[in-house]
Amino acid sequence: MEVEEAGGEVENAGKDEAEAEYHSRDFEWEDLKEEVESGPVFSYHLSPFLDPAASTTSPPQPSSEAWRSFHRRHASGKFFKERRYLLKEFPELCSSKDHAKVLEVGCGNGSTAVSILRSSERITVFACDCSKDTLEKAYEIISNTKGINIKDRFHPFLMDVSKETFPDWLFCKACQTSLGKAAASLLDPSHHGIREEHPVFLGENQCCAGGMDFITMIFTLSAIPFDIMPTTIEQCVSVLKPGGLLLFRDYGLYDMTMLRFLPHQRVGFREYMRSDGTFSYFFSLDTVRELFRAAGLVELELEYCCVKSVNRKNGKTMRRVWVHGKFKKPPR
């Protein structure tokens, strides 16, 4: 479900750019904020959004089918860009001394998973997405990537994180309880559909994968409606081991792509819908902080990543804003 944009087009980053230190400050976010909030041309982005309950018509709702269609259109593989910079953003992924388990939420075409798998042979990646076609493409891309042996290390599975709970085989309730997770904090399954499949890669005497050491949410949370975000984060936390890390990167407030949306594409406060039906939310640091703290996580790092890049077609400078966050589940 992930997508990373550059003015409506995919960034054609070269090798040097792909390996660049993206966690940087090419400009100050506060300077951009002052410019946007003082510019009349951007005023419609700042105004309060009319509550749908007070309107005679409800705004269009994003759907998983829109994302499935999106990935079908980009099935050729040209959309793929390996996110090598994430290992510099989150060095914990490749510095773990033990065999680590990573859950990638909304894996898309595998651009994040391939970097993680390449970084260490001690890492196993579980990856979910709402699109079967996308999962098949991710498996194909990663299987054909030189230098990576994915045998027993890459486990994609079909799931819409905005509508379903994670399968019990990721971290069963018995193991959660044994690790000190109070039953009262478990998710109420009535909010989502229940998944009972038991994967073949688990041993006969293995009840589940034992929980995740890391969860990555890379340009995923912004793709779902804001009112669903708290429940989505809460269920991600439910499969994270005590002491585990949730690694977050997504669109930041006043990113170039937000400012290019037209008034009729605004479907909520800082929420927009593209012409293809896909959805995008733009986060402030305070919003991210409140969402993840409410789910019981401890903030380790949280800041804007402000990067200038140049459009190679027209030579224009683009100011990108992303939110970088690192959160820890308290030990038992």
Side-chain angles (χ1 to χ4, degrees):
M1 200 157 56
E2 58 180 13
V3 60
E4 190 173 351
E5 301 171 287
E9 298 179 352
V10 179
E11 290 184 12
N12 293 316
K15 181 178 179 181
D16 292 340
E17 187 178 36
E19 295 180 351
E21 178 60 74
Y22 271 27
H23 182 40
S24 59
R25 286 191 177 182
D26 293 341
F27 59 92
E28 293 296 324
W29 183 84
E30 290 293 339
D31 294 340
L32 175 62
K33 175 179 182 290
E34 182 178 357
E35 178 183 330
V36 171
E37 295 183 357
S38 62
V41 69
F42 300 125
S43 61
Y44 64 90
H45 293 291
L46 312 176
S47 61
F49 189 78
L50 180 65
D51 187 341
S55 176
T56 55
T57 59
S58 297
Q61 293 298 308
S63 69
S64 300
E65 181 54 39
W67 283 108
R68 286 189 281 268
S69 297
F70 171 88
H71 285 296
R72 283 194 292 269
R73 292 195 303 275
H74 296 284
S76 65
K78 294 180 180 179
F79 189 69
F80 180 83
K81 183 182 72 173
E82 184 175 341
R83 291 183 171 135
R84 300 181 186 181
Y85 64 85
L86 286 178
L87 300 179
K88 297 178 180 179
E89 294 274 3
F90 305 117
E92 297 87 351
L93 286 169
C94 51
S95 61
S96 177
K97 296 180 180 180
D98 299 321
H99 285 79
K101 286 168 286 193
V102 179
L103 171 63
E104 187 182 0
V105 181
C107 66
N109 56 19
S111 54
T112 296
V114 70
S115 293
I116 296 173
L117 289 165
R118 189 196 298 277
S119 68
S120 172
E121 292 186 355
R122 297 190 300 271
I123 291 179
T124 299
V125 174
F126 300 83
C128 68
D129 201 278
C130 65
S131 168
K132 181 180 178 181
D133 294 337
T134 300
L135 291 173
E136 291 175 350
K137 191 64 182 180
Y139 192 86
E140 176 188 338
I141 290 173
I142 294 174
S143 297
N144 293 329
T145 300
K146 293 182 179 180
I148 298 180
N149 178 12
I150 67 168
K151 180 177 173 57
D152 299 326
R153 296 182 57 221
F154 181 57
H155 305 296
F157 60 98
L158 184 65
M159 177 183 159
D160 185 344
V161 71
S162 69
K163 298 178 180 178
E164 301 170 283
T165 56
F166 285 110
D168 198 46
W169 53 259
L170 277 178
F171 200 13
C172 70
K173 290 180 175 58
C175 290
Q176 290 179 21
T177 302
S178 69
L179 287 175
K181 185 176 179 71
S185 65
L186 294 176
L187 284 174
D188 180 354
S190 65
H191 291 308
H192 294 282
I194 302 298
R195 304 175 59 85
E196 299 293 346
E197 300 96 325
H198 198 72
V200 296
F201 57 80
L202 289 180
E204 291 184 5
N205 298 321
Q206 192 175 3
C207 59
C208 67
M212 300 294 110
D213 300 288
F214 301 95
I215 292 178
T216 60
M217 301 186 76
I218 311 298
F219 298 102
T220 296
L221 196 61
S222 60
I224 67 174
F226 182 78
D227 59 356
I228 298 177
M229 290 182 191
T231 304
T232 301
I233 296 170
E234 189 177 343
Q235 72 149 324
C236 288
V237 174
S238 75
V239 297
L240 186 63
K241 291 179 181 177
L245 296 181
L246 191 150
L247 310 175
F248 177 81
R249 187 177 177 92
D250 218 319
Y251 295 115
L253 187 60
Y254 304 143
D255 177 57
M256 173 200 71
T257 56
M258 172 182 173
L259 302 180
R260 288 188 175 184
F261 277 112
L262 300 176
H264 72 272
Q265 294 177 291
R266 192 169 180 238
V267 296
F269 186 60
R270 299 174 182 167
E271 296 178 291
Y272 301 83
M273 184 171 288
R274 304 178 185 87
S275 58
D276 62 3
T278 57
F279 193 77
S280 190
Y281 182 89
F282 294 84
F283 294 94
S284 69
L285 297 187
D286 287 341
T287 298
V288 174
R289 179 176 293 115
E290 291 171 5
L291 284 169
F292 286 96
R293 282 185 177 177
L297 297 178
V298 176
E299 176 187 325
L300 301 181
E301 295 178 8
L302 184 61
E303 58 187 320
Y304 289 115
C305 178
C306 301
V307 176
K308 285 184 179 179
S309 59
V310 178
N311 187 310
R312 297 183 179 182
K313 290 185 178 180
N314 57 30
K316 291 184 177 181
T317 298
M318 302 178 292
R319 289 181 293 183
R320 307 308 310 271
V321 180
W322 298 297
V323 173
H324 162 96
K326 188 182 300 181
F327 300 87
K328 184 175 182 178
K329 186 172 182 177
R332 55 178 178 176

